Amino acid sequence: MRPKRQQSWFQFVTEEVGASLIYDPNCLPQLIHLTDAPHRRHPALVSFLGRGKKDRALRSLFADNPSNSISTFGFRLRVDHRTLYSGRPILFTDGDPNQSPQPPDIGGLAGVEKIPIAWASSSGAQIVDTIVTRFLLPASHVVCIFAEDIGGLVGVQALLRRWIAIGPQATQPALRPRLLVVVETKEVTSGDESLGDAHLAGVLAPPSDAPEVFAGIHMLHVSSASVLSDEARYRPLKEELLKALDVMERDRSECGLHFSAAHLPGLLEKAIRHTAQAHDRTFNLIEKARPPPRPLEWTFHIGHFLRQGNKVAVEAQDIIISSSLMLDAFPPNMHEFHPIDLFRQRYWQPCLDALKPVVGGAAAVHRVQSLESRVINSHIDMINRGASALDLHQGQQEQHRPQHSLACGHALCDACVERYGQPPSRAESTYILEACPLCRQPCLTSIVLLPRTAAVRALTVDGGGIRGIVSLQILLTLQNLLGPHCPLPDLIDVAFGTSAGMSPPQPPPSPRGGGAVSFRPPAVPISRAWLTQCDCLYRRAQVATLLASSTAVDFFHGHVRSYAVSLTVGCTIQTRLNRFCEHTTVAQGDSLGRMYQRVPKSRSPPPPSMAQ
């Protein structure tokens, strides 16, 4: 059976008008679409560069991803199905770094796009090196080169030197992969890898003005003995790849550059289009992943706030500005870059331009540094609490919550009323606002604030027996005096109580063994209806407690035996008692009936004087 042709992720073609990229924009989204909860999945990309040795290693490393396709030009992209539903799905791409652009042959390939390479006046090999260096290397977490497929260590060194000489840093912030060079030897010793790392790093030491391309370089020796199976031969490579992925995941997470499956496809598509159009310009990750900045508007609004809030303390101003910047820097469902990179790229200059006319040059720089520190601390707090920027903003504004509405529609907090209002001569804690401090519209308003000497308003409710009813009656009287539009709980900051002054009302439980019933109405009911309900329930509970006790049963039993004219009278009294208890709770009525029936008949009634 003839192997089918597999569609490449991207490949290079040459035409009469120039070179182009044949790019499949649906390749990566289709792989990511297989995962659920893409915001919680952070894929890692491994690039395998080589030919025959590379294909042999891939068949061993990813046995669950069989590939019966013929070799194609360009780079293929696949996913390790064993890690598809993990927190870190492993994507891997493979290709030959020394390939040359081929004539276009895209028949039968659906959904591909042809992206012209605007700078394609150079040779074909340089085009491939540029695309690999400016796009593939930054997108990868680990790059694995098979030395035997490239021409040995000499070929690897020549390839890496070409990559280093390509040009400036590819991305901002910098994305650098770890390089793993696989060398096959007959015998592997423990010192080969360390010596190889030192030798390779010394040979590849870039000039002082050249950008760093790799985060680290490691040489791995695998055995070429024929007695070993491919699984045993490439087991060290698999272990080294997993270690390198763990290190890169940690490093990129700390730098805010570990992208989720929801953001990675769109970002890589923008990166490859950017590289095809202008390879000599750095690809700005923050600029491409965020809406365009509006520095002029930000400068105007921050400056307007500083001028209007000149009576507000500097610390309060910085809290409000930094909290507002957090809302713009970390919107919901967006990738969270490092706060330092975000602030210095998007907000440093607008804040500095807004502060210079207000506080001066040197003081403005100090204030901007203070704002940066507040944004960093807020981001750390957001991560530790698992909250959003909106939650932090609302929490910080609780101290200055708007409470006083004006005719223009704005609302002010107590602090703003004190700063912008004019206190009259003979009115304590009263302020008059002639105009809104935000929009300057006339709105003559008199606002009365809580005096500064006002302490915490506390309520204590005593309990125990009849005192619980007395306390409830006092609260009910206070509520009647206040009226239905002024709930009593709104006037109290904290409440304490014992017994009847603590718990919310519950139906009185059934007594066990003649014990007393414990019932505690609330100290501060929510409404007048609750106060009335508490009073009624508490009275019923007191009567039920009396009737449910063993002493009360003996008393009523003796009373019935002494003064009942006939059995009918006794049954009538017992029936009334049972009905009363059933009206209170069914369980208490049953308990009282059973206790009444268990009274010994030989027990003599109490003397008439005691019964009376």
Side-chain angles (χ1 to χ4, degrees), residues 333-558:
N333 298 327
M334 292 290 287
H335 177 73
E336 296 182 5
F337 289 95
H338 197 279
I340 294 180
D341 297 330
L342 274 173
F343 187 88
R344 294 183 179 179
Q345 181 171 328
R346 292 175 67 88
Y347 310 117
W348 180 281
Q349 194 61 41
C351 292
L352 186 62
D353 294 340
L355 285 165
K356 279 183 178 180
V358 179
V359 299
V365 175
H366 179 73
R367 285 283 297 275
V368 174
Q369 293 174 350
S370 175
L371 290 174
E372 181 183 15
S373 300
R374 289 185 180 276
V375 170
I376 295 173
N377 294 333
S378 298
H379 182 258
I380 296 174
D381 189 23
M382 182 177 69
I383 295 177
N384 294 336
R385 293 170 51 185
S388 63
L390 179 60
D391 297 334
L392 294 183
H393 182 76
Q394 292 176 345
Q396 291 177 352
Q397 303 307 317
E398 281 295 325
Q399 301 176 355
H400 303 278
R401 182 174 53 185
Q403 297 176 334
H404 310 284
S405 300
L406 304 180
C408 61
H410 291 117
L412 303 179
C413 63
D414 291 346
C416 291
V417 171
E418 291 180 350
R419 291 186 178 96
Y420 297 103
Q422 298 295 330
S425 57
R426 296 184 179 180
E428 182 182 2
S429 302
T430 302
Y431 296 87
I432 297 177
L433 286 172
E434 298 180 355
C436 174
L438 297 175
C439 62
R440 296 301 183 182
Q441 291 187 10
C443 53
L444 186 61
T445 307
S446 178
I447 300 176
V448 180
L449 302 181
L450 187 68
R452 292 184 177 274
T453 56
V456 177
R457 294 167 294 187
L459 172 67
T460 61
V461 180
D462 198 2
I466 194 63
R467 287 179 295 180
I469 299 179
V470 174
S471 301
L472 291 173
Q473 287 297 322
I474 294 175
L475 293 176
L476 185 59
T477 303
L478 290 176
Q479 184 65 72
N480 292 334
L481 293 175
L482 294 173
H485 300 292
C486 183
L488 185 59
D490 293 349
L491 305 179
I492 300 170
D493 297 324
V494 63
F496 305 92
T498 58
S499 184
M502 285 293 294
S503 303
Q506 300 289 340
S510 302
R512 297 182 179 179
V517 179
S518 175
F519 176 66
R520 300 176 180 179
V524 186
I526 295 179
S527 63
R528 178 177 177 178
W530 272 45
L531 281 170
T532 307
Q533 181 185 9
C534 291
D535 183 67
C536 296
L537 289 177
Y538 197 79
R539 291 175 184 272
R540 287 168 55 187
Q542 294 292 332
V543 177
T545 303
L546 175 64
L547 295 179
S549 62
S550 59
T551 305
V553 172
D554 294 342
F555 171 78
F556 282 107
H557 176 71

Side-chain angles (χ1 to χ4, degrees), residues 94-133:
D94 65 294
D96 183 7
N98 290 328
Q99 61 181 284
S100 300
Q102 301 295 318
D105 181 17
I106 58 175
L109 300 182
V112 298
E113 294 184 18
K114 183 186 294 185
I115 305 176
I117 301 178
W119 41 269
S121 59
S122 55
S123 63
Q126 188 173 0
I127 292 176
V128 176
D129 289 340
T130 303
I131 297 295
V132 170
T133 306

Side-chain angles (χ1 to χ4, degrees), residues 575-589:
T575 303
R576 291 181 179 179
L577 292 176
N578 288 337
R579 286 180 179 176
F580 176 81
C581 294
E582 288 175 357
H583 179 70
T584 305
T585 56
V586 177
Q588 286 183 355

